[in-house]
Amino acid sequence: MSLFTRRDFLKSSIAAGTLAGVGTTALHAAPRSATDTVTLGKCGLKVSRLAFGTGSDNGQVQAALGQQEFNRLIHYAYDRGIRFFETAESYSTPAMLGEALKPFPRESYQLMTKVTTDPGPTRRSASTRCAAPRRRNISTSCCCTGNTRRTG
């Protein structure tokens, strides 16, 4: 015979059920999405949580799509809430990105770019065994104006 009576079982079940219901209250926070707008750093710039990068294989993947397909891809992302686009002067896509974003109001999206700031010699990377220019990321708020000029 069990030392656990029916009464003890019911008490334990009710207690466990109550605790399980109360314990998940904190888990019912609003779900986050890649298209939520968040504040970037201390500058107060509002961007979508997910940025659309245009530099797969230095932009060769996107460039191979051609302007029309690239436009379609950018419009697809924009229509689904992506408002943060990334490029770099070394990619083959800044002008393509500018063309793709022309239909949208400039104040409705943010651009981020990486620029080469050190004109010095390249450095060897032991892991990739190739020459790579030294880069420094410039803050998005500083880049937006210059990149807008390059992207049209």
Side-chain angles (χ1 to χ4, degrees):
M1 186 102 174
S2 172
L3 298 176
F4 201 60
T5 67
R6 183 171 181 229
R7 182 175 296 233
D8 290 336
F9 173 78
L10 290 174
K11 282 185 196 177
S12 299
S13 298
I14 291 170
T18 302
L19 287 176
V22 171
T24 60
T25 305
L27 299 177
H28 293 290
R32 294 197 283 184
S33 165
T35 58
D36 291 344
T37 301
V38 296
T39 303
L40 185 65
K42 296 178 183 178
C43 67
L45 191 63
K46 302 283 187 194
V47 298
S48 56
R49 186 178 301 280
L50 179 68
F52 186 101
T54 63
S56 301
D57 195 19
N58 280 338
Q60 296 304 312
V61 172
Q62 291 83 357
L65 293 173
Q67 187 66 57
Q68 188 174 11
E69 279 300 303
F70 185 72
N71 289 359
R72 192 178 70 71
L73 190 61
I74 294 296
H75 289 231
Y76 183 88
Y78 187 92
D79 291 343
R80 281 151 185 80
I82 303 300
R83 299 290 190 273
F84 191 21
F85 298 91
E86 179 272 334
T87 190
E89 66 178 15
S90 64
Y91 299 169
S92 54
T93 54
M96 290 178 73
L97 181 59
E99 186 64 32
L101 291 171
K102 275 185 181 177
F104 307 114
R106 177 58 189 95
E107 64 277 358
S108 69
Y109 59 86
Q110 297 296 334
L111 295 173
M112 176 177 63
T113 191
K114 295 179 290 290
V115 295
T116 302
T117 58
D118 183 3
T122 59
R123 61 184 162 87
R124 288 253 171 222
S125 169
S127 62
T128 58
R129 298 183 186 196
C130 67
R134 293 194 312 217
R135 294 186 176 276
R136 184 171 72 117
N137 291 339
I138 307 299
S139 73
T140 304
S141 59
C142 296
C143 291
C144 289
T145 304
N147 197 37
T148 301
R149 285 188 205 114
R150 279 196 243 28
T151 57

